[in-house]
Amino acid sequence: MKIIIKTITFILFFLSIGVVQEGRAVQTSPTVLIVKKVPLTVGNKTTEVFRIEQPDGTWGFQGIQGKDFNTIVKNETNVPTVIHWHGLIVPNDADGVPYMTQPPILPGGEYPYHFTLNQSGTYWMHSHYGLQTEQYLSAPFIIHDPTERDSNIKEVVMFIADYSHKSPEAILKELKQGMKMSNTDSKMKMSPKPDLNDVQYDALLTNYKTLKNPDVIKVKPGQTVRFRLINGASGTNVFVNTGKLKGEVIATDGQPIHPFPGTKFPLAVAQRLDVLVKIPDKEGAYPILAQGEGTRLQTGVILATPGASIPSLSEQAKTAEGALNYDQELQYKAVNPLPVKKPEQTLLASLDGNMKNYVWMINNQVWPTITPLEVEPFKRVELVFKNTTGMSHPMHLHGHTFEVTEIDGHTLQNGPMRDTVLVMPHSTVKIQFDSNNPGNWPLHCHLAYHQAAGMMTFINYKGIQIPQLKSVE
Ligand SMILES: [Cu+2]
């Protein structure tokens, strides 16, 4: 009986999220994603934040590799927006970047996106307009590999965000005025001492919740849980701690790696990790926590067997978390690295800052007054990030998956495949990708306030027209 119920659930799952019928794809009308505003209470204060959901209220999107993503995004808010599919290899015109690949979706307006889900893994979607990711205009985007789905494995999405009672515009204004925003070293971001945070947040959230009222996920003794960890924060790199449970990383930014064991894993802004944990063969409750580097703020979920008593957890850890480092990154091994090939073209992205006016730059240029980095189509391209600043920068390239090939002079053999790499202060990281997706593709720091303060450029394929750039307020 159990098996029959499981099989039915399995079939219903595929029918509900996809278009599978008798093993064949059928033509369907587009699905809908709605961008709306919802109230959020943190502490004793209620504010409005964004939410991306399907008409039935399902948060974000889950699809199947090989199927079509045919969706209309409807903007039910009072501000313009644009949705970017983070980490997905899409045609350039579906990339969701305002004034580069499409006009903004105006209040009450809608915009169609249609592409094939060629990848599988853990991705996310977020606004590429202004500072909206700071207010949860973001959601999980999970693509299942139909050959891999095991109904015995419990899947848990943990979408981490940072939250401030202040509006993002007010925070940016204060940063630009050089006001004291840091809870570490507020004097000078260019100081030789690495600076971990330039914004002090009020809370870290997982799936919109603080640790006062976290998601409690029912699990069975002995069950395997696959965490899909997404750092959707605007400015907080975290360590994820699996506590008493041994963890095993199986993917970085959606790309499989050879299983890497541990209990504490760095997760920079915009990155994802897939981590397996196994519940012991007895009753119990297991908090899985993420703590922001340089802060005591923590967030997470609790895995609990039916009879377990649920612990109450503090939103503040006892001590501040330290800085992320390269320890794991140097050891992760991609299952599907790039084919071995010598780089045919090398690009430099110097990560620069001028803290007098809170300006962040790539190659000393401030978005949108930039000269794009030009690539020849169909070449192996090496991109060198040289961080001249005292802060780390999670650097994201659109439209491509790249291999991390060198960190501070250490060559990585089959380094992790990613779409976002953390470049530590005063450090050099090399990546490689194949220029096989023509278009104009943003390359930027994913810290929202760094991006807003200029740290963005784009990669232009030779022969593709350069768009008329415009910054959004
Ligand atoms: Cu940055």
Side-chain angles (χ1 to χ4, degrees):
M1 191 61 194
K2 249 189 176 170
I3 289 170
I4 295 169
I5 291 169
K6 258 186 197 164
T7 312
I8 291 169
T9 316
F10 191 61
I11 291 166
L12 283 175
F13 171 79
F14 276 91
L15 283 174
S16 67
I17 62 169
V19 287
V20 182
Q21 214 173 52
E22 293 163 2
R24 283 180 300 130
V26 291
Q27 224 31 51
T28 56
S29 52
T31 51
V32 170
L33 282 172
I34 297 163
V35 181
K36 60 196 273 194
K37 284 191 171 175
V38 293
L40 176 74
T41 303
V42 173
N44 49 13
K45 216 174 161 185
T46 300
T47 49
E48 264 197 331
V49 295
F50 295 98
R51 183 176 166 92
I52 309 173
E53 64 179 31
Q54 298 172 35
D56 69 358
T58 303
W59 185 33
F61 184 83
Q62 304 223 2
I64 300 166
Q65 186 177 21
K67 299 297 172 195
D68 260 12
F69 178 73
N70 182 10
T71 291
I72 293 171
V73 171
K74 294 189 175 177
N75 181 3
E76 294 186 358
T77 75
N78 56 356
V79 287
T81 192
V82 170
I83 305 297
H84 165 62
W85 319 99
H86 187 117
L88 294 190
I89 310 295
V90 297
N92 199 209
D93 62 4
D95 193 36
V97 183
Y99 307 114
M100 276 195 71
T101 65
Q102 68 169 88
I105 313 170
L106 297 175
E110 58 182 52
Y111 197 86
Y113 295 91
H114 193 174
F115 48 85
T116 307
L117 300 173
N118 288 316
Q119 301 144 279
S120 66
T122 304
Y123 302 91
W124 60 306
M125 60 181 101
H126 61 79
S127 167
H128 224 282
Y129 191 96
L131 289 161
Q132 295 174 340
T133 49
E134 223 265 355
Q135 290 176 309
Y136 249 120
L137 215 165
S138 52
F141 195 124
I142 311 298
I143 311 173
H144 297 279
D145 174 347
T147 66
E148 193 184 74
R149 205 166 165 81
D150 176 348
S151 54
N152 287 318
I153 294 181
K154 176 97 178 171
E155 293 221 351
V156 177
V157 172
M158 203 169 139
F159 190 101
I160 297 157
D162 43 20
Y163 172 83
S164 171
H165 292 308
K166 288 182 190 162
S167 77
E169 292 74 22
I171 292 172
L172 185 60
K173 201 172 157 198
E174 288 182 24
L175 287 166
K176 283 196 178 279
Q177 286 169 349
M179 286 179 68
K180 259 182 110 130
M181 292 296 294
S182 167
N183 62 356
T184 54
D185 174 11
S186 59
K187 272 176 282 164
M188 198 59 182
K189 306 302 179 295
M190 299 297 289
S191 65
K193 184 177 163 233
D195 204 347
L196 302 184
N197 324 82
D198 47 10
V199 178
Q200 193 172 352
Y201 292 93
D202 293 306
L204 288 182
L205 309 175
T206 297
N207 307 341
Y208 284 91
K209 291 174 178 152
T210 68
L211 279 180
K212 275 217 175 81
N213 176 33
D215 277 339
V216 177
I217 293 137
K218 288 261 172 295
V219 291
K220 288 178 250 168
Q223 191 172 31
T224 298
V225 176
R226 176 183 187 155
F227 273 100
R228 294 183 177 273
L229 306 172
I230 303 168
N231 189 340
S234 57
T236 308
N237 298 318
V238 300
F239 278 103
V240 177
N241 205 317
T242 56
K244 281 186 225 155
L245 305 178
K246 274 194 198 111
E248 200 174 54
V249 184
I250 56 165
T252 55
D253 294 355
Q255 316 306 313
I257 61 164
H258 293 287
F260 184 88
T263 55
K264 191 177 172 186
F265 305 103
L267 186 64
V269 166
Q271 292 184 331
R272 288 88 59 213
L273 284 178
D274 285 39
V275 177
L276 298 180
V277 297
K278 195 169 182 295
I279 307 300
D281 286 320
K282 55 178 185 324
E283 301 291 329
Y286 307 93
I288 307 294
L289 298 176
Q291 187 178 348
E293 67 171 353
T295 89
R296 289 175 55 206
L297 295 176
Q298 59 179 6
T299 181
V301 299
I302 300 172
L303 304 177
T305 60
S309 67
I310 309 301
S312 74
L313 299 165
S314 170
E315 292 162 77
Q316 302 264 343
K318 287 201 178 76
T319 54
E321 183 57 271
L324 268 68
N325 56 59
Y326 288 131
D327 288 356
Q328 278 92 339
E329 195 74 3
L330 286 161
Q331 296 177 69
Y332 290 152
K333 297 260 181 244
V335 171
N336 305 307
L338 292 177
V340 176
K341 199 175 174 185
K342 264 213 158 123
E344 295 156 289
Q345 200 188 344
T346 295
L347 304 172
L348 173 68
S350 172
L351 311 179
D352 307 311
N354 175 349
M355 283 312 97
K356 248 197 230 146
N357 304 311
Y358 196 76
V359 168
W360 294 98
M361 297 170 284
I362 296 176
N363 294 331
N364 275 301
Q365 295 180 327
V366 179
W367 179 269
T369 315
I370 57 103
T371 315
L373 298 164
E374 189 188 82
V375 298
E376 300 268 348
F378 304 106
K379 300 279 186 216
R380 171 62 52 82
V381 181
E382 180 182 65
L383 176 53
V384 180
F385 294 108
K386 194 173 183 311
N387 187 353
T388 69
T389 77
M391 282 194 79
S392 64
H393 304 283
M395 298 304 298
H396 172 46
L397 173 62
H398 289 216
H400 301 76
T401 305
F402 55 75
E403 183 176 329
V404 181
T405 53
E406 196 183 303
I407 296 175
D408 286 336
H410 298 278
T411 303
L412 279 70
Q413 299 297 339
N414 303 336
M417 299 294 289
R418 288 194 174 282
D419 52 61
T420 308
V421 66
L422 187 67
V423 185
M424 304 293 292
H426 307 288
S427 163
T428 298
V429 171
K430 295 183 183 175
I431 64 168
Q432 289 182 22
F433 64 92
D434 286 325
S435 55
N436 52 15
N437 195 6
N440 294 308
W441 299 102
L443 171 70
H444 61 91
C445 177
H446 223 285
L447 301 182
Y449 298 101
H450 291 193
Q451 188 186 340
M455 206 168 210
M456 172 150 147
T457 185
F458 69 93
I459 284 184
N460 164 253
Y461 276 63
K462 198 175 178 182
I464 302 277
Q465 200 187 339
I466 291 174
Q468 193 73 39
L469 298 177
K470 200 172 153 187
S471 63
V472 295
E473 286 307 321

